Amino acid sequence: MRDDIPSRPETPPAVPVPGPGEATTRRRVLALGAVTAGAVVSIRPALAQTTGSVLNCEIPVPDITRAGRYIDADGNVVAAGTKGAVPPPGRPFKGEDVKRALNGGMLPGTTADSNRAYVAYIRRLQRGTGGFTCFASLQMPRG
């Protein structure tokens, strides 16, 4: 073969033609991929919004049915003026503040004694008590 004559280009490999069932399967896979990608795009903002709302939820101390009562050192709701108990805070605590306090921080506007009492009260919240849903949401792991 001579060097000055260009060689003939090779023919491209044959592309297999899908059978009747294969084309349908590929379309389904592509459609599922498109639906799945849309779901991921929709779910991520929803999770971010959920996380944000959990941190902005509120926990009243004590709940509104026992407003005006004091909180003792163990987190129990007691009569106003009970010796050793602390008065209720002036407003509910935000989820973000409670989460920080549950991890060893301080609730805003509290002393060491009132913080300890309020955190004990919050840890004892039960279903049906104001603030329970917020507290339960703070306990759920986030991804």
Side-chain angles (χ1 to χ4, degrees), residues 36-113:
T36 304
V40 169
V41 169
S42 309
I43 292 171
R44 283 193 179 154
L47 288 174
Q49 183 179 6
T50 301
T51 301
S53 64
V54 166
L55 295 178
N56 289 319
C57 65
E58 294 184 339
I59 300 177
V61 177
D63 63 311
I64 57 173
T65 62
R66 299 181 283 179
R69 305 207 36 207
Y70 281 36
I71 310 296
D72 72 9
D74 295 326
N76 299 309
V77 180
V78 296
T82 300
K83 185 175 180 166
V86 295
R91 61 178 180 81
F93 295 111
K94 295 276 186 199
E96 183 175 12
D97 297 327
V98 171
K99 187 170 186 137
R100 192 175 313 113
L102 291 172
N103 290 322
M106 295 282 289
L107 290 164
T110 62
T111 64
D113 290 338

